[in-house]
Amino acid sequence: MSVGMVLEGGGMRGLYTAGVLDTLMNERIKVDGMVTVSAGALFGINYASGQHGRALRYNKTYLKDKRYMGMRHLLKTGDIINKEFAYYTVPYSLDVFDEQSFKTSGIDFYATVTNMETGEAEYKQITDPFRQMETLRASGSMPFVSKPVDLEGIPYLDGGVADSIPYKQAGDLGYDKKIVILTRPLDYRKSKPNPFLIDQWYKKYPQFKETLKQRYRNYNNTVEQITKDEQTKEAFVIRPSVAIPIKRLERDPDKLQMMYDLGVKDTAARLDELKHYIYA
């Protein structure tokens, strides 16, 4: 019986996911695979490496550091996140990512990216995080505030554009049981975006811009399917029990802590239920 985990993105809302995962680590709850996207990939990889507290720690430590992110970097480079600092300096030297533990975890880890030429989602298995750092960066590179990330000559952006919650992919990979961690409350649905802005911004990528326009519909349909499967016990879903106002690129460390603490609280309240789902 294999267990897969699905992680939604959402920028700094992903600190909710970090709280969930740290609680699961405390309980020694393991899964066979993780299908992640965007912040779900960037924060969730710490579960596979067994690094409790790392996602919260480095975000709170460097949140207001000018080297990390901000409008200065966006205007200077086209990326609101400082590539060199966030993706290389931090995990390589300041708050070191334990790649060896990741490699020996026994967890198959997938990061979702969006191919800008086809407009379709691709699911890249991460086996060597340092060597595949650009793939992880592509997964978390949000539209409008990030430049395309080149992977073998093909431009990619945020996997959440084509597949905001890679739930179907987890089923396609054959996991018998699926734990889904969302970063929005039960009643949240995406609204239709402004097509004019998308058309102007991504006119060089016609397939990508059409996918971006339909993101809201695909997201809402996936949420509806997950909710149905939750009711029939085909999936176990952990989502925020209350809505906390937080920006995608939140700079208030107290709000990050609130999201994290809510993830811990919501998961602790359902641990017995989760264990029964996994092991029954």
Side-chain angles (χ1 to χ4, degrees):
M1 185 70 68
S2 60
V3 180
M5 184 183 289
V6 179
L7 304 184
E8 182 182 7
M12 290 302 177
R13 290 198 317 275
L15 269 298
Y16 177 85
T17 301
V20 174
L21 297 179
D22 282 354
T23 305
L24 299 185
M25 272 192 261
N26 285 341
E27 296 293 319
R28 301 185 184 277
I29 292 175
K30 297 291 295 288
V31 298
D32 299 290
M34 302 173 71
V35 190
T36 69
V37 63
S38 197
L42 300 178
F43 299 164
I45 200 167
N46 297 292
Y47 173 85
S49 66
Q51 290 179 276
H52 185 285
R54 181 175 179 269
L56 178 66
R57 181 177 63 245
Y58 77 73
N59 275 290
K60 289 186 70 177
T61 299
Y62 300 109
L63 189 66
K64 295 186 177 182
D65 192 312
K66 292 181 180 179
R67 296 172 295 173
Y68 191 21
M69 65 178 178
M71 289 302 298
R72 183 169 66 94
H73 296 294
L74 180 63
L75 295 174
K76 183 178 180 180
T77 68
D79 285 307
I80 199 163
I81 304 294
N82 183 346
K83 166 187 170 179
E84 292 302 326
F85 185 77
Y87 290 94
Y88 291 93
T89 302
V90 171
Y92 278 78
S93 59
L94 296 181
D95 197 324
V96 178
F97 176 74
D98 189 346
E99 186 174 59
Q100 186 58 35
S101 292
F102 173 89
K103 289 181 176 180
T104 59
S105 68
I107 297 174
D108 293 330
F109 191 93
Y110 297 87
T112 308
V113 293
T114 300
N115 183 317
M116 295 186 71
E117 293 180 351
T118 66
E120 296 180 356
E122 296 179 10
Y123 308 92
K124 307 285 191 180
Q125 185 169 4
I126 304 298
T127 57
D128 191 336
F130 286 156
R131 184 176 59 82
Q132 296 174 281
M133 191 62 74
E134 289 300 282
T135 300
L136 291 166
R137 189 168 75 88
S139 185
S141 291
M142 296 176 289
F144 305 113
V145 293
S146 305
K147 292 189 302 183
V149 177
D150 183 284
L151 300 177
E152 298 182 351
I154 298 173
Y156 289 86
L157 274 181
D158 191 343
V161 173
D163 195 352
S164 295
I165 310 171
Y167 177 69
K168 182 179 182 299
Q169 180 65 15
D172 291 346
L173 287 168
Y175 296 115
D176 302 298
K177 297 190 176 184
K178 297 179 284 292
I179 302 168
V180 184
I181 303 175
L182 304 180
T183 58
R184 295 283 197 178
L186 178 62
D187 61 353
Y188 176 80
R189 297 295 183 275
K190 283 192 181 295
S191 301
K192 188 174 182 179
N194 183 337
F196 178 77
L197 178 61
I198 294 173
D199 283 335
Q200 293 302 307
W201 205 279
Y202 291 111
K203 55 188 175 184
K204 289 175 56 179
Y205 301 102
Q207 299 300 323
F208 179 83
K209 72 179 185 179
E210 290 307 314
T211 299
L212 187 53
K213 288 178 186 178
Q214 295 302 316
R215 180 184 188 182
Y216 80 102
R217 179 177 286 117
N218 295 332
Y219 177 91
N220 294 342
N221 288 341
T222 301
V223 170
E224 294 294 341
Q225 185 61 58
I226 289 171
T227 302
K228 290 179 182 177
D229 289 354
E230 180 182 18
Q231 293 169 351
T232 59
K233 309 299 182 184
E234 294 179 57
F236 188 93
V237 185
I238 301 175
R239 57 169 68 82
S241 55
V242 297
I244 294 178
I246 184 170
K247 298 174 184 176
R248 185 173 287 267
L249 292 173
E250 183 62 61
R251 305 298 294 273
D252 183 346
D254 291 338
K255 288 190 176 180
L256 267 59
Q257 187 69 54
M258 288 172 63
M259 286 300 294
Y260 177 89
D261 290 344
L262 183 62
V264 172
K265 177 183 175 182
D266 287 348
T267 307
R270 301 187 63 200
L271 278 173
D272 290 344
E273 187 183 352
L274 174 59
K275 290 176 182 178
H276 183 267
Y277 172 78
I278 296 174
Y279 304 120

